[in-house]
Structures are given as structure tokens and as C-alpha cells.
Amino acid sequence: VTAKGNVSGLDFVYPGIELKNRIINLRKAGVNLVVLLTLYDKNKISNNEWTAIVNAKPDVCVMQDFHIDAPVVEKKDGIIIKTISGYNQTKEIDILNLEIKRNPMKILAYSGKRIPINNNKFKQDPVVKASIDESSRSIEISRQKVIGYFAKDYQKSYIKECPVGDLITDAMLNSFGGDIAIQNSGGIQSGIKKGRMTLGDLFAILPFDNQVVKMNLSGQYILELFTAAASLKRGVLQVSGCSYRFKNRGDDDYELEDVFINKKPLIATMSYSVVTNSFLAEGGDDFISFRHGRNIRFGRQQRDTVQAYIEKLNASGPITLNTHNRIIRDSENGDQKK
């Protein structure tokens, strides 16, 4: 899932005649082994989608799985299926072994495994390392630029208000104006460490190339957004300029209790100026009510906005962050989880 601008000019279609013709042309060109790489979840691919792949007749189909242990390699409808981990990118590597006979090509045997990546077990290739170092030297110089200093460690959170979320939303609201700012918790990928923060650290916190977006959104759609956040299925929405209270008793047992904007109760029929990121603006993470935004305006890259805000705060010395009771989860006995 990405911003529309990142895939401009590309068409996305379900597997069908295009896939079949592509594989036919590869065979005609002398290709002996066709491996189809997909992002399908092996357990969620539809019958129609799988039938289209079967009709195209690749030799191997690679899918994703979301299991702790790797499923065994299997052969289905004449196609060998190997899965890779949808969770452990860069931490594990999936290997597919094929025993192949040529003229005519035939797969005699297949097996696979998933192994953890431990760099200590591998000796660096000096030629490759030198090439990478040369290519990345200017990038590394930029990554080491210090943009601010922080007084303490601050953790991110997916299910409650966090200082990092407050910092990001405050930065967007401060730079772009508006009534409220909203950031998805899933878009915050790292916490803040005590001491200096470099541009590379900021990239670790906000690795996605989102822009700041400003739109007008009715109070009713804002209520829908915070109700979706109360489900915790995509994490809470970190906010600035507003606060909300909710209960969550389980996966399908939750409710939004109240929302305040600028310390005043939200009015469903009123239009509000909302600042967010371009991922959410397009309905990302299933927060689809953003798609009803009007008078949409695009601003700077979100990272640039946060960097400028950090540099501004740092002018007064090391930055101290706090939470501000913007997100409150009530339990059944009245206790609050902030």
C-alpha cells in the first residue's frame, strides 16, 4: 500500500489473459523455468485468482505466509508453491531447492527452508563492500546530520497515545495550520533515543515517503475515523488539537465515547480543517472516511515538516516530550488507560 503518486502510470490488474500471454511469450523465447513472484497471502488468495494462475502455467509460484514456522513446499495443480515470511523481512531468508532435468526441462524434486540471517556467520566480500561504501557515501553523510537533541528515551505505541505521536502531529499542525492533525500509529516505526537525533534516526521513525495533506472533513466523518481507531484493529490515531475517549472490550466490542476539538465537543454537522499524511488521506489502514475530504491541499514531505519542528524546539535546548491526555481508553470499572 502506497501513495498514488508513487505508482503513477502503472496499471494494476488481476491475473488473467495478460499473465497467460506473458508466460506463453517467455516459453516461445526459450525460457525453460518460469517463477511467478506474488504478494498473495497463500491462505487468502481467491479461487478465481488461483485459477487464473493455474491457467497461465508457471512452474513455481511464490506467495507470502504469516506463520511462525515456514509451511512446507507443496505442489498444487502442477505448480510448486513456496512461501516467504510476510513478517520477518530482513530477519530471515527463504530458500527453495529445485532438482531439474534438462531437455526437456522437468522438475524432479523440490524442497525449501527458512533460516535466520546472522551476519556474523558470513564473511564480507571486500569488492562488494567497497562498491556499496562508495555508492552510499553521500547518503551516509546526510544520514549523520544532527537535527536535534532529546532529554530522554521516548517510546512509540500502537494502542495508546505516545510522546512520539504527539511530536509528529504537533509538527504537522504547527507548520500547516488547521483544527486538528492526525497520524496513524502504524506509520511510526521507531522510538526516540536520548541524546542526539540524526536525519537517519528520523528516517527510522518515519520511513515512508508521505506528504502532509490538509483537507476539510465533516464532524461525522471524524467520528467515524475515531470509532475505527477505537477498534484497535489498525492502532489508535495519534492526534493534535483534539482528544477522544473510547472503550474497547474486545475485537468487535468497542465504542467511541466522546471527541473534543480545541477543548469543545465535536459537532457532527460542522466542517473541520484536518491535517494528516498522504497515506491516510487516501484511506490507508482502512481509515476510509478520509476519502470524503474536500478542498485537499498538499504540503511538504512529512519528514521535512517534523525535522523543521524538531530544529525549532531544539533552539531552546534538549527537547522534553510528554503525553497530554489526548487519547483515553476507559475500562468497564471506570479506570483510564492513557
Side-chain angles (χ1 to χ4, degrees), residues 23-77:
I23 292 179
I24 288 173
N25 291 333
L26 287 172
R27 304 282 192 200
K28 288 180 179 179
V31 172
N32 293 316
L33 182 72
V34 176
V35 179
L36 182 63
L37 305 179
T38 83
L39 286 176
Y40 281 119
D41 183 336
K42 179 186 174 185
N43 295 320
K44 294 183 179 179
I45 186 170
S46 71
N47 289 332
N48 289 339
E49 290 163 338
W50 176 247
T51 298
I53 290 174
V54 172
N55 290 337
K57 298 181 180 179
D59 300 295
V60 178
C61 181
V62 179
M63 299 186 187
Q64 291 187 98
D65 73 79
F66 293 85
H67 303 293
I68 295 176
D69 297 318
V72 297
V73 181
E74 66 171 315
K75 192 169 188 178
K76 180 179 178 182
D77 296 324

Side-chain angles (χ1 to χ4, degrees), residues 140-301:
E140 189 58 32
I141 292 172
S142 296
R143 286 176 57 85
Q144 293 304 317
K145 177 185 177 182
V146 177
I147 61 175
Y149 291 84
F150 285 83
K152 295 169 54 179
D153 290 348
Y154 299 102
Q155 302 301 316
K156 68 184 181 74
S157 178
Y158 194 67
I159 60 171
K160 63 182 180 180
E161 179 186 357
C162 63
V164 185
D166 285 4
L167 173 70
I168 292 167
T169 51
D170 286 349
M172 292 193 293
L173 198 61
N174 179 268
S175 67
F176 218 24
D179 295 310
I180 64 173
I182 301 176
Q183 164 72 26
N184 56 313
S185 293
I188 305 171
Q189 292 286 295
S190 182
I192 293 173
K193 297 294 186 183
K194 178 181 178 180
R196 71 174 193 168
M197 173 184 278
T198 66
L199 188 59
D201 295 326
L202 181 57
F203 266 80
I205 296 168
L206 293 171
F208 307 110
D209 291 330
N210 288 317
Q211 289 176 265
V212 178
V213 179
K214 190 175 185 179
M215 64 174 67
N216 293 335
L217 204 60
S218 75
Q220 181 58 45
Y221 290 128
I222 294 174
L223 288 173
E224 291 177 6
L225 289 172
F226 290 141
T227 299
S231 75
L232 299 180
K233 292 178 181 178
R234 289 293 185 271
V236 296
L237 289 170
Q238 305 289 334
V239 295
S240 180
C242 73
S243 63
Y244 63 98
R245 183 191 304 266
F246 70 96
K247 287 182 180 178
N248 184 300
R249 308 174 191 88
D251 290 344
D252 297 306
D253 189 4
Y254 55 88
E255 62 184 294
L256 181 67
E257 296 183 294
D258 55 46
V259 178
F260 287 84
I261 293 182
N262 294 322
K263 299 183 179 180
K264 297 180 181 179
L266 177 143
I267 301 173
T269 57
M270 186 172 172
S271 178
Y272 294 91
S273 178
V274 179
V275 182
T276 187
N277 62 58
S278 49
F279 172 73
L280 282 180
E282 295 170 2
D285 271 351
D286 287 339
F287 290 107
I288 59 176
S289 296
F290 276 111
R291 296 176 185 170
H292 296 281
R294 296 291 181 266
N295 194 22
I296 297 173
R297 290 141 287 171
F298 287 83
R300 303 169 67 188
Q301 281 276 343

Side-chain angles (χ1 to χ4, degrees), residues 60-107:
V60 178
C61 181
V62 179
M63 299 186 187
Q64 291 187 98
D65 73 79
F66 293 85
H67 303 293
I68 295 176
D69 297 318
V72 297
V73 181
E74 66 171 315
K75 192 169 188 178
K76 180 179 178 182
D77 296 324
I79 300 172
I80 294 171
I81 300 175
K82 174 73 179 83
T83 62
I84 62 173
S85 172
Y87 284 131
N88 294 314
Q89 302 96 327
T90 77
K91 300 181 183 70
E92 296 177 319
I93 188 168
D94 282 273
I95 297 173
L96 173 64
N97 298 308
L98 299 176
E99 183 181 342
I100 299 174
K101 178 179 77 70
R102 297 185 178 183
N103 302 321
M105 196 283 294
K106 184 178 181 181
I107 298 175

